[in-house]
Amino acid sequence: MLFRSKQLINESLSTATFCVNAYLQDLSDEDLLRRPCDGGNHIAWQLGHLLASDNRLINSVCPGSMPDLPMGFADQHSKENAGGDVASSFLTKQQYLELMVTQHQALRDALSTMTDEDLQQESPEGIREYAPSVGSIFNLTPSHWMMHSGQWVIVRRQLGKEALF
């Protein structure tokens, strides 16, 4: 059971990474700041939000397993700063993608250390409502990436980009 659980989480993360890379491949840094609608979050903010979330969630169950994000990164990509549109406040697409590779590898490394018993342990109290176990936290991360990347289709269509999937 353990091998299969870890394998499925890794496969889900690979699928999410594939979709993220496909949706972003032909977008410019400027495109990442385009909002899909009034009140919608632009892709640059969403990328930072995803990276900060992964970092926080995995560190909550495997302390110190995730590499540090750049100073101020989590604050810049917090809910309170979702309305920011100043390009210099955000990273380039390449920088976000490099952080994604590093963070996802650390997530995979942390997952590889987990036993079946570890994955079945309760998650920290503040997140049990949506991720009741350690395993569900690991499983949540690729789903979170898929949910947000699906929103990027709107921006792609606004820019006249071809449908990918």
Side-chain angles (χ1 to χ4, degrees):
M1 171 100 159
L2 174 62
F3 170 74
R4 190 67 180 144
S5 296
K6 288 181 178 183
Q7 181 183 12
L8 289 172
I9 292 168
N10 274 305
E11 289 174 5
S12 292
L13 188 59
S14 293
T15 299
T17 302
F18 172 80
C19 289
V20 165
N21 285 325
Y23 285 142
L24 297 180
Q25 69 183 340
D26 55 354
L27 297 183
S28 68
D29 293 342
E30 182 180 274
D31 294 339
L32 297 189
L33 294 172
R34 184 181 182 113
R35 293 187 182 275
C37 61
D38 288 340
N41 297 322
H42 55 66
I43 296 170
W45 181 88
Q46 289 184 54
L47 286 165
H49 160 74
L50 288 161
L51 291 161
S53 293
D54 284 359
N55 191 282
R56 180 180 41 80
L57 287 169
I58 301 305
N59 271 330
S60 76
V61 294
C62 295
S65 63
M66 299 296 283
D68 291 337
L69 292 168
M71 184 164 296
F73 185 90
D75 286 337
Q76 178 58 38
H77 298 88
S78 68
K79 190 176 188 178
E80 295 75 27
N81 288 320
D85 288 318
V86 177
S88 62
S89 297
F90 295 94
L91 303 182
T92 65
K93 176 176 77 172
Q94 187 60 39
Q95 289 171 313
Y96 283 117
L97 292 175
E98 288 171 4
L99 281 174
M100 181 183 72
V101 168
T102 302
Q103 295 289 311
H104 283 182
Q105 185 57 56
L107 188 156
R108 289 177 193 279
D109 292 346
L111 178 62
S112 74
T113 70
M114 295 282 107
T115 66
D116 197 33
E117 293 76 26
D118 292 334
L119 293 173
Q120 293 176 37
Q121 293 297 309
E122 273 191 325
S123 64
E125 188 173 333
I127 55 178
R128 282 188 202 140
E129 181 180 336
Y130 59 89
S133 69
V134 170
S136 63
I137 289 173
F138 278 97
N139 191 51
L140 171 67
T141 55
S143 299
H144 193 201
W145 281 87
M146 288 298 289
M147 184 271 298
H148 278 283
S149 69
Q151 297 175 43
W152 306 342
V153 171
I154 298 165
V155 171
R156 291 185 57 76
R157 293 297 172 95
Q158 288 173 340
L159 294 169
K161 305 288 184 183
E162 72 175 86
L164 298 175
F165 308 109

